[in-house]
Amino acid sequence: MLRQVTLEDIRPIAIGAGILGTGGGGNPYLGGLHLASVIREKGPQAIIDPFDLADDALCCVVGSIGAPTVSIEKLPEGTEMMRAMRELEAHIGRRFDAVAIAEIGGANSMQPLIGGLQAGIPTVDSDSMGRAFPEIQMSSFLFDTSAKAAPLAMVDVADNAALIPAAVSDVWAEKMARNIAVSMGARAGLAGTIMTGAQVKAAGVHYTLSLAHHLGSRVIEAQERKADVPAVVADALDGEVIFCGKITDVDRRVSKGFARGGVRFESYSGADVLEIEFQNEFLIAYINGEIVATVPDLICIVTEEEGEPVTTEVLRYGTRVAVIAAPAPAQLKSGVALDVVGPRAFGYDVDFRPLPGGVIGRSPQRFTTEEKEDTQRSQRELQGNHANPL
Amino acid sequence: MLRQVTLEDIRPIAIGAGILGTGGGGNPYLGGLHLASVIREKGPQAIIDPFDLADDALCCVVGSIGAPTVSIEKLPEGTEMMRAMRELEAHIGRRFDAVAIAEIGGANSMQPLIGGLQAGIPTVDSDSMGRAFPEIQMSSFLFDTSAKAAPLAMVDVADNAALIPAAVSDVWAEKMARNIAVSMGARAGLAGTIMTGAQVKAAGVHYTLSLAHHLGSRVIEAQERKADVPAVVADALDGEVIFCGKITDVDRRVSKGFARGGVRFESYSGADVLEIEFQNEFLIAYINGEIVATVPDLICIVTEEEGEPVTTEVLRYGTRVAVIAAPAPAQLKSGVALDVVGPRAFGYDVDFRPLPGGVIGRSPQRFTTEEKEDTQRSQRELQGNHANPL
């Protein structure tokens, strides 16, 4: 398990979270540059094992809300996550003890590291999706729990702030937050989903920051030995490569605060066609018109040679890619969860067709062997690092 | 001057504010029904002379934000203004002493009476427009003053709430609030523009609730004696009747939280055409293609026979109307004000062409003679009424 995130950890996390993000979560390369600049200033960020949280610890999640296509054109001011947490703390009259990860996908895997470092609190090695999703209510922290998306706070690159003190439902919180994000230029920093440590432990998809790091490390290692990187990715996620080919069409628009559209791929022989529809994230995949993968299972696009993530905002004609389908974490597959994150929640008149197996959020042992040296560093030493930045 | 608002005062205020609203501010008839139900329950609402406010009294404005066309289809829950004030009070940690009127137009003349009654505080006989405008920053309380539109609070018919703790500018507060209003179904209750009593006195358009009452009373009196009611309206506002005819076309749509469009009138001879463009409110009028009135001057449409207000949401083919142009209050005509409420602020490439004269916000003596009996009731007696509702 990761106990801290240093400069050296950024590249593996960026690759792993870029893949887990299934197209969304914001550009991982830009997120990595941002995180690096903050670590250079403040030192490594401390990571806390979710099961080391006190039951009464106070946590929230942070992340960027908006369209990934905007995130590569409109850069952040840099302290959005901390400022959103501070607005929320002022509203509730308490300080947070740790920050959890809303979604492990893309740059949103790094925002809780950046915000935690700036606020002086550790980041929890748990997220609420094991991937990325476009909407706030699509969170295991909110499925069948007493936690709520609101109160939540949002800030933009300037001095605009907005708070949602209460919402009728998490879906209503999303509707309001999305329109506020549109006002803020389709990109804003958000802090919300206030939880106790006990709630994080009960409802989180655990060790996904470590998983992202592990996945990225395996990609880098496979790149170095010029192995079949997409196959390595599929293996690490207990999934399979479902298609190899070239992007032949991209229909992508920014609509109501999301990047929406579809992308079409053709196999090199020209015989087969893969189509994927997306709303920030890749949601449903068809090969020759037949459904082959459905949300919440992961549909990940990587470059064919390097296995690097291809996110929604960088899809373009001609890119040679491999497409991997991987099973979603168990937390997303309950009946309650599928009502919120299954295909019908996105308007598709099809049932979820679960892929078998899966490692995300399930078995930390699976990806810990090669990170033993991390665990040898004691938590105390790391807390010391945190209090006394390099 | 009005010292309280009773059931008997509602009809004159509804007519007067309907006319002053220049098409916007929400439907005055529905607003009147709402106010009547609250007065029946709690008794008359106390009105405070702006110059009787303590300099350090804490005030805010309240009103509905959204599209007037929505306000006749989506009725309020009824306590929106009070709930918005309570959210704002919780945020700043202080109670308000009085509530001022954001805009005297339409139902928004009554919302501060309803909200004040429910919250147990008096309503100030001042607004910030002397009419209605579509956007929050279009307020004399905000022109060249230290008051700001944010913090502001918004609530919907259910349990959704939103706060804007801070905004880069009042225009940014409007942008965020408008998108939140869209989330809330294009109609929400809003409390904001926190001011001291000294600020209200310095920047308000004063005695406009009394003016609305006076104007409505003159309309009712003229209706009873079957006089030329539109001429009476024009006289009361120091304006003139610029057109009589029938509505021959209405182009009205709800767009981005506003009612937008244009309306066309023909004279009975068919020789002349009047066209008015609106964004919630009537903004610019052309006769046979020539500009005859420009915002912030008031363009008021009334029924030809009864002189009753015709607001944006009830414009329809065939209605026989008189159109009155009247000079705006002085507070809207400074250079600073015209940058915010002049024709160019609404996208028209024309200068403001001020009509001469004007009574709005200027001369309380002008419309007080027939309301002497009101002033005989002492403020103490009214405060007693207020504390012990009928």
Side-chain angles (χ1 to χ4, degrees), chain B residues 279-307:
Chain B
Q279 177 187 340
N280 287 9
E281 282 75 29
F282 308 130
L283 299 177
I284 194 163
Y286 307 82
I287 293 181
N288 302 328
E290 295 290 315
I291 292 171
V292 292
T294 51
V295 67
D297 280 343
L298 283 70
I299 300 165
C300 310
I301 306 178
V302 298
T303 56
E304 190 172 29
E305 297 230 333
E306 299 290 316

PDB file of all heavy atoms in Angstrom, chain B residues 279-307:
ATOM      1  N   GLN B 279     -36.540  41.329 -22.296  1.00  0.00           N
ATOM      2  CA  GLN B 279     -35.853  40.259 -21.547  1.00  0.00           C
ATOM      3  C   GLN B 279     -36.474  40.335 -20.157  1.00  0.00           C
ATOM      4  O   GLN B 279     -36.098  41.175 -19.338  1.00  0.00           O
ATOM      5  CB  GLN B 279     -34.347  40.521 -21.493  1.00  0.00           C
ATOM      6  CG  GLN B 279     -33.597  39.477 -20.654  1.00  0.00           C
ATOM      7  CD  GLN B 279     -32.131  39.831 -20.455  1.00  0.00           C
ATOM      8  OE1 GLN B 279     -31.555  40.613 -21.204  1.00  0.00           O
ATOM      9  NE2 GLN B 279     -31.525  39.261 -19.416  1.00  0.00           N
ATOM     10  N   ASN B 280     -37.471  39.527 -19.918  1.00  0.00           N
ATOM     11  CA  ASN B 280     -38.368  39.644 -18.768  1.00  0.00           C
ATOM     12  C   ASN B 280     -39.104  40.991 -18.837  1.00  0.00           C
ATOM     13  O   ASN B 280     -40.322  41.033 -18.835  1.00  0.00           O
ATOM     14  CB  ASN B 280     -37.669  39.500 -17.419  1.00  0.00           C
ATOM     15  CG  ASN B 280     -37.239  38.073 -17.103  1.00  0.00           C
ATOM     16  OD1 ASN B 280     -37.314  37.199 -17.959  1.00  0.00           O
ATOM     17  ND2 ASN B 280     -36.806  37.826 -15.876  1.00  0.00           N
ATOM     18  N   GLU B 281     -38.353  42.098 -18.862  1.00  0.00           N
ATOM     19  CA  GLU B 281     -38.946  43.432 -18.915  1.00  0.00           C
ATOM     20  C   GLU B 281     -38.905  43.985 -20.343  1.00  0.00           C
ATOM     21  O   GLU B 281     -38.057  43.588 -21.147  1.00  0.00           O
ATOM     22  CB  GLU B 281     -38.184  44.384 -17.980  1.00  0.00           C
ATOM     23  CG  GLU B 281     -38.534  44.212 -16.510  1.00  0.00           C
ATOM     24  CD  GLU B 281     -37.931  42.963 -15.876  1.00  0.00           C
ATOM     25  OE1 GLU B 281     -36.861  42.511 -16.325  1.00  0.00           O
ATOM     26  OE2 GLU B 281     -38.539  42.419 -14.935  1.00  0.00           O
ATOM     27  N   PHE B 282     -39.798  44.965 -20.609  1.00  0.00           N
ATOM     28  CA  PHE B 282     -39.814  45.657 -21.904  1.00  0.00           C
ATOM     29  C   PHE B 282     -38.648  46.633 -21.936  1.00  0.00           C
ATOM     30  O   PHE B 282     -38.534  47.496 -21.061  1.00  0.00           O
ATOM     31  CB  PHE B 282     -41.139  46.396 -22.085  1.00  0.00           C
ATOM     32  CG  PHE B 282     -42.342  45.520 -21.857  1.00  0.00           C
ATOM     33  CD1 PHE B 282     -43.373  45.922 -21.009  1.00  0.00           C
ATOM     34  CD2 PHE B 282     -42.457  44.273 -22.465  1.00  0.00           C
ATOM     35  CE1 PHE B 282     -44.473  45.119 -20.778  1.00  0.00           C
ATOM     36  CE2 PHE B 282     -43.565  43.458 -22.236  1.00  0.00           C
ATOM     37  CZ  PHE B 282     -44.573  43.878 -21.387  1.00  0.00           C
ATOM     38  N   LEU B 283     -37.778  46.498 -22.938  1.00  0.00           N
ATOM     39  CA  LEU B 283     -36.504  47.212 -22.906  1.00  0.00           C
ATOM     40  C   LEU B 283     -36.395  48.343 -23.903  1.00  0.00           C
ATOM     41  O   LEU B 283     -35.748  49.354 -23.646  1.00  0.00           O
ATOM     42  CB  LEU B 283     -35.359  46.219 -23.164  1.00  0.00           C
ATOM     43  CG  LEU B 283     -35.225  45.103 -22.143  1.00  0.00           C
ATOM     44  CD1 LEU B 283     -34.099  44.161 -22.559  1.00  0.00           C
ATOM     45  CD2 LEU B 283     -34.960  45.663 -20.755  1.00  0.00           C
ATOM     46  N   ILE B 284     -36.970  48.162 -25.068  1.00  0.00           N
ATOM     47  CA  ILE B 284     -36.787  49.164 -26.117  1.00  0.00           C
ATOM     48  C   ILE B 284     -38.034  49.128 -27.000  1.00  0.00           C
ATOM     49  O   ILE B 284     -38.596  48.058 -27.239  1.00  0.00           O
ATOM     50  CB  ILE B 284     -35.466  48.896 -26.901  1.00  0.00           C
ATOM     51  CG1 ILE B 284     -35.059  50.078 -27.754  1.00  0.00           C
ATOM     52  CG2 ILE B 284     -35.525  47.619 -27.690  1.00  0.00           C
ATOM     53  CD1 ILE B 284     -33.587  50.034 -28.197  1.00  0.00           C
ATOM     54  N   ALA B 285     -38.494  50.315 -27.416  1.00  0.00           N
ATOM     55  CA  ALA B 285     -39.721  50.406 -28.219  1.00  0.00           C
ATOM     56  C   ALA B 285     -39.431  51.189 -29.492  1.00  0.00           C
ATOM     57  O   ALA B 285     -38.761  52.231 -29.459  1.00  0.00           O
ATOM     58  CB  ALA B 285     -40.815  51.100 -27.412  1.00  0.00           C
ATOM     59  N   TYR B 286     -39.945  50.661 -30.599  1.00  0.00           N
ATOM     60  CA  TYR B 286     -39.794  51.299 -31.908  1.00  0.00           C
ATOM     61  C   TYR B 286     -41.197  51.566 -32.473  1.00  0.00           C
ATOM     62  O   TYR B 286     -42.038  50.655 -32.462  1.00  0.00           O
ATOM     63  CB  TYR B 286     -39.102  50.361 -32.899  1.00  0.00           C
ATOM     64  CG  TYR B 286     -37.790  49.768 -32.454  1.00  0.00           C
ATOM     65  CD1 TYR B 286     -37.757  48.645 -31.626  1.00  0.00           C
ATOM     66  CD2 TYR B 286     -36.579  50.295 -32.900  1.00  0.00           C
ATOM     67  CE1 TYR B 286     -36.550  48.080 -31.235  1.00  0.00           C
ATOM     68  CE2 TYR B 286     -35.367  49.723 -32.523  1.00  0.00           C
ATOM     69  CZ  TYR B 286     -35.355  48.622 -31.703  1.00  0.00           C
ATOM     70  OH  TYR B 286     -34.171  48.048 -31.324  1.00  0.00           O
ATOM     71  N   ILE B 287     -41.448  52.757 -32.987  1.00  0.00           N
ATOM     72  CA  ILE B 287     -42.666  53.022 -33.750  1.00  0.00           C
ATOM     73  C   ILE B 287     -42.250  53.225 -35.202  1.00  0.00           C
ATOM     74  O   ILE B 287     -41.409  54.078 -35.503  1.00  0.00           O
ATOM     75  CB  ILE B 287     -43.435  54.250 -33.210  1.00  0.00           C
ATOM     76  CG1 ILE B 287     -43.979  53.944 -31.810  1.00  0.00           C
ATOM     77  CG2 ILE B 287     -44.596  54.605 -34.158  1.00  0.00           C
ATOM     78  CD1 ILE B 287     -44.773  55.072 -31.177  1.00  0.00           C
ATOM     79  N   ASN B 288     -42.799  52.371 -36.055  1.00  0.00           N
ATOM     80  CA  ASN B 288     -42.453  52.391 -37.483  1.00  0.00           C
ATOM     81  C   ASN B 288     -40.939  52.386 -37.669  1.00  0.00           C
ATOM     82  O   ASN B 288     -40.396  53.087 -38.527  1.00  0.00           O
ATOM     83  CB  ASN B 288     -43.100  53.601 -38.161  1.00  0.00           C
ATOM     84  CG  ASN B 288     -44.615  53.588 -37.994  1.00  0.00           C
ATOM     85  OD1 ASN B 288     -45.231  52.515 -37.937  1.00  0.00           O
ATOM     86  ND2 ASN B 288     -45.211  54.756 -37.879  1.00  0.00           N
ATOM     87  N   GLY B 289     -40.271  51.612 -36.821  1.00  0.00           N
ATOM     88  CA  GLY B 289     -38.832  51.437 -36.961  1.00  0.00           C
ATOM     89  C   GLY B 289     -37.981  52.473 -36.254  1.00  0.00           C
ATOM     90  O   GLY B 289     -36.756  52.332 -36.194  1.00  0.00           O
ATOM     91  N   GLU B 290     -38.598  53.508 -35.720  1.00  0.00           N
ATOM     92  CA  GLU B 290     -37.837  54.545 -35.014  1.00  0.00           C
ATOM     93  C   GLU B 290     -37.914  54.311 -33.514  1.00  0.00           C
ATOM     94  O   GLU B 290     -39.008  54.092 -32.972  1.00  0.00           O
ATOM     95  CB  GLU B 290     -38.427  55.933 -35.313  1.00  0.00           C
ATOM     96  CG  GLU B 290     -38.301  56.368 -36.757  1.00  0.00           C
ATOM     97  CD  GLU B 290     -36.853  56.672 -37.135  1.00  0.00           C
ATOM     98  OE1 GLU B 290     -36.165  57.345 -36.337  1.00  0.00           O
ATOM     99  OE2 GLU B 290     -36.418  56.193 -38.199  1.00  0.00           O
ATOM    100  N   ILE B 291     -36.774  54.425 -32.852  1.00  0.00           N
ATOM    101  CA  ILE B 291     -36.754  54.234 -31.402  1.00  0.00           C
ATOM    102  C   ILE B 291     -37.531  55.358 -30.708  1.00  0.00           C
ATOM    103  O   ILE B 291     -37.287  56.540 -30.987  1.00  0.00           O
ATOM    104  CB  ILE B 291     -35.307  54.207 -30.885  1.00  0.00           C
ATOM    105  CG1 ILE B 291     -34.608  52.944 -31.384  1.00  0.00           C
ATOM    106  CG2 ILE B 291     -35.273  54.270 -29.354  1.00  0.00           C
ATOM    107  CD1 ILE B 291     -33.119  52.917 -31.104  1.00  0.00           C
ATOM    108  N   VAL B 292     -38.449  54.982 -29.830  1.00  0.00           N
ATOM    109  CA  VAL B 292     -39.219  55.996 -29.097  1.00  0.00           C
ATOM    110  C   VAL B 292     -39.013  55.908 -27.593  1.00  0.00           C
ATOM    111  O   VAL B 292     -39.335  56.856 -26.872  1.00  0.00           O
ATOM    112  CB  VAL B 292     -40.730  55.915 -29.417  1.00  0.00           C
ATOM    113  CG1 VAL B 292     -40.979  56.337 -30.860  1.00  0.00           C
ATOM    114  CG2 VAL B 292     -41.269  54.511 -29.162  1.00  0.00           C
ATOM    115  N   ALA B 293     -38.506  54.780 -27.088  1.00  0.00           N
ATOM    116  CA  ALA B 293     -38.236  54.688 -25.649  1.00  0.00           C
ATOM    117  C   ALA B 293     -37.156  53.645 -25.432  1.00  0.00           C
ATOM    118  O   ALA B 293     -37.120  52.613 -26.121  1.00  0.00           O
ATOM    119  CB  ALA B 293     -39.493  54.313 -24.877  1.00  0.00           C
ATOM    120  N   THR B 294     -36.265  53.930 -24.481  1.00  0.00           N
ATOM    121  CA  THR B 294     -35.130  53.048 -24.210  1.00  0.00           C
ATOM    122  C   THR B 294     -35.002  52.814 -22.712  1.00  0.00           C
ATOM    123  O   THR B 294     -35.280  53.714 -21.910  1.00  0.00           O
ATOM    124  CB  THR B 294     -33.810  53.687 -24.718  1.00  0.00           C
ATOM    125  OG1 THR B 294     -33.726  55.020 -24.212  1.00  0.00           O
ATOM    126  CG2 THR B 294     -33.716  53.698 -26.218  1.00  0.00           C
ATOM    127  N   VAL B 295     -34.576  51.612 -22.368  1.00  0.00           N
ATOM    128  CA  VAL B 295     -34.278  51.280 -20.990  1.00  0.00           C
ATOM    129  C   VAL B 295     -33.155  52.184 -20.492  1.00  0.00           C
ATOM    130  O   VAL B 295     -32.248  52.486 -21.266  1.00  0.00           O
ATOM    131  CB  VAL B 295     -33.915  49.776 -20.891  1.00  0.00           C
ATOM    132  CG1 VAL B 295     -32.585  49.463 -21.600  1.00  0.00           C
ATOM    133  CG2 VAL B 295     -33.917  49.288 -19.481  1.00  0.00           C
ATOM    134  N   PRO B 296     -33.152  52.738 -19.266  1.00  0.00           N
ATOM    135  CA  PRO B 296     -34.003  52.389 -18.130  1.00  0.00           C
ATOM    136  C   PRO B 296     -35.348  53.112 -18.043  1.00  0.00           C
ATOM    137  O   PRO B 296     -36.077  52.885 -17.086  1.00  0.00           O
ATOM    138  CB  PRO B 296     -33.122  52.768 -16.938  1.00  0.00           C
ATOM    139  CG  PRO B 296     -32.316  53.925 -17.435  1.00  0.00           C
ATOM    140  CD  PRO B 296     -32.047  53.615 -18.872  1.00  0.00           C
ATOM    141  N   ASP B 297     -35.685  54.011 -18.996  1.00  0.00           N
ATOM    142  CA  ASP B 297     -37.031  54.583 -18.946  1.00  0.00           C
ATOM    143  C   ASP B 297     -38.054  53.453 -19.000  1.00  0.00           C
ATOM    144  O   ASP B 297     -37.787  52.376 -19.561  1.00  0.00           O
ATOM    145  CB  ASP B 297     -37.238  55.569 -20.105  1.00  0.00           C
ATOM    146  CG  ASP B 297     -36.618  56.941 -19.807  1.00  0.00           C
ATOM    147  OD1 ASP B 297     -36.331  57.216 -18.614  1.00  0.00           O
ATOM    148  OD2 ASP B 297     -36.428  57.722 -20.747  1.00  0.00           O
ATOM    149  N   LEU B 298     -39.219  53.720 -18.428  1.00  0.00           N
ATOM    150  CA  LEU B 298     -40.221  52.665 -18.291  1.00  0.00           C
ATOM    151  C   LEU B 298     -41.083  52.578 -19.539  1.00  0.00           C
ATOM    152  O   LEU B 298     -41.578  53.601 -20.029  1.00  0.00           O
ATOM    153  CB  LEU B 298     -41.123  52.932 -17.078  1.00  0.00           C
ATOM    154  CG  LEU B 298     -40.546  52.622 -15.696  1.00  0.00           C
ATOM    155  CD1 LEU B 298     -39.456  53.598 -15.310  1.00  0.00           C
ATOM    156  CD2 LEU B 298     -41.663  52.615 -14.648  1.00  0.00           C
ATOM    157  N   ILE B 299     -41.258  51.358 -20.038  1.00  0.00           N
ATOM    158  CA  ILE B 299     -42.192  51.083 -21.121  1.00  0.00           C
ATOM    159  C   ILE B 299     -43.269  50.179 -20.508  1.00  0.00           C
ATOM    160  O   ILE B 299     -42.985  49.042 -20.125  1.00  0.00           O
ATOM    161  CB  ILE B 299     -41.497  50.382 -22.306  1.00  0.00           C
ATOM    162  CG1 ILE B 299     -40.376  51.282 -22.852  1.00  0.00           C
ATOM    163  CG2 ILE B 299     -42.518  50.014 -23.376  1.00  0.00           C
ATOM    164  CD1 ILE B 299     -39.404  50.560 -23.782  1.00  0.00           C
ATOM    165  N   CYS B 300     -44.465  50.734 -20.338  1.00  0.00           N
ATOM    166  CA  CYS B 300     -45.523  50.028 -19.611  1.00  0.00           C
ATOM    167  C   CYS B 300     -46.661  49.727 -20.572  1.00  0.00           C
ATOM    168  O   CYS B 300     -47.079  50.601 -21.337  1.00  0.00           O
ATOM    169  CB  CYS B 300     -46.053  50.891 -18.465  1.00  0.00           C
ATOM    170  SG  CYS B 300     -44.762  51.583 -17.402  1.00  0.00           S
ATOM    171  N   ILE B 301     -47.147  48.497 -20.516  1.00  0.00           N
ATOM    172  CA  ILE B 301     -48.293  48.138 -21.350  1.00  0.00           C
ATOM    173  C   ILE B 301     -49.497  47.931 -20.430  1.00  0.00           C
ATOM    174  O   ILE B 301     -49.396  47.194 -19.444  1.00  0.00           O
ATOM    175  CB  ILE B 301     -48.022  46.859 -22.166  1.00  0.00           C
ATOM    176  CG1 ILE B 301     -46.725  47.010 -22.973  1.00  0.00           C
ATOM    177  CG2 ILE B 301     -49.196  46.552 -23.093  1.00  0.00           C
ATOM    178  CD1 ILE B 301     -46.349  45.769 -23.792  1.00  0.00           C
ATOM    179  N   VAL B 302     -50.605  48.600 -20.768  1.00  0.00           N
ATOM    180  CA  VAL B 302     -51.838  48.401 -19.989  1.00  0.00           C
ATOM    181  C   VAL B 302     -52.975  48.109 -20.949  1.00  0.00           C
ATOM    182  O   VAL B 302     -52.920  48.474 -22.132  1.00  0.00           O
ATOM    183  CB  VAL B 302     -52.173  49.651 -19.127  1.00  0.00           C
ATOM    184  CG1 VAL B 302     -51.064  49.927 -18.103  1.00  0.00           C
ATOM    185  CG2 VAL B 302     -52.435  50.874 -19.981  1.00  0.00           C
ATOM    186  N   THR B 303     -54.017  47.452 -20.432  1.00  0.00           N
ATOM    187  CA  THR B 303     -55.196  47.241 -21.269  1.00  0.00           C
ATOM    188  C   THR B 303     -55.828  48.603 -21.545  1.00  0.00           C
ATOM    189  O   THR B 303     -55.859  49.479 -20.692  1.00  0.00           O
ATOM    190  CB  THR B 303     -56.204  46.315 -20.582  1.00  0.00           C
ATOM    191  OG1 THR B 303     -56.548  46.867 -19.308  1.00  0.00           O
ATOM    192  CG2 THR B 303     -55.611  44.934 -20.366  1.00  0.00           C
ATOM    193  N   GLU B 304     -56.352  48.741 -22.769  1.00  0.00           N
ATOM    194  CA  GLU B 304     -56.792  50.074 -23.187  1.00  0.00           C
ATOM    195  C   GLU B 304     -57.976  50.573 -22.359  1.00  0.00           C
ATOM    196  O   GLU B 304     -58.037  51.746 -22.005  1.00  0.00           O
ATOM    197  CB  GLU B 304     -57.169  50.027 -24.659  1.00  0.00           C
ATOM    198  CG  GLU B 304     -57.391  51.417 -25.231  1.00  0.00           C
ATOM    199  CD  GLU B 304     -57.583  51.360 -26.731  1.00  0.00           C
ATOM    200  OE1 GLU B 304     -58.076  50.326 -27.226  1.00  0.00           O
ATOM    201  OE2 GLU B 304     -57.236  52.344 -27.392  1.00  0.00           O
ATOM    202  N   GLU B 305     -58.912  49.672 -22.047  1.00  0.00           N
ATOM    203  CA  GLU B 305     -60.131  50.125 -21.362  1.00  0.00           C
ATOM    204  C   GLU B 305     -59.930  50.254 -19.862  1.00  0.00           C
ATOM    205  O   GLU B 305     -60.355  51.228 -19.251  1.00  0.00           O
ATOM    206  CB  GLU B 305     -61.276  49.133 -21.613  1.00  0.00           C
ATOM    207  CG  GLU B 305     -61.651  49.050 -23.071  1.00  0.00           C
ATOM    208  CD  GLU B 305     -63.135  49.198 -23.294  1.00  0.00           C
ATOM    209  OE1 GLU B 305     -63.889  48.850 -22.356  1.00  0.00           O
ATOM    210  OE2 GLU B 305     -63.543  49.657 -24.385  1.00  0.00           O
ATOM    211  N   GLU B 306     -59.286  49.263 -19.256  1.00  0.00           N
ATOM    212  CA  GLU B 306     -59.208  49.203 -17.794  1.00  0.00           C
ATOM    213  C   GLU B 306     -57.894  49.753 -17.239  1.00  0.00           C
ATOM    214  O   GLU B 306     -57.782  49.971 -16.038  1.00  0.00           O
ATOM    215  CB  GLU B 306     -59.369  47.750 -17.327  1.00  0.00           C
ATOM    216  CG  GLU B 306     -60.705  47.116 -17.704  1.00  0.00           C
ATOM    217  CD  GLU B 306     -61.856  47.717 -16.902  1.00  0.00           C
ATOM    218  OE1 GLU B 306     -61.695  47.903 -15.683  1.00  0.00           O
ATOM    219  OE2 GLU B 306     -62.907  48.034 -17.516  1.00  0.00           O
ATOM    220  N   GLY B 307     -56.914  49.897 -18.091  1.00  0.00           N
ATOM    221  CA  GLY B 307     -55.614  50.367 -17.607  1.00  0.00           C
ATOM    222  C   GLY B 307     -54.907  49.373 -16.709  1.00  0.00           C
ATOM    223  O   GLY B 307     -54.045  49.727 -15.910  1.00  0.00           O
TER     224      GLY B 307
END
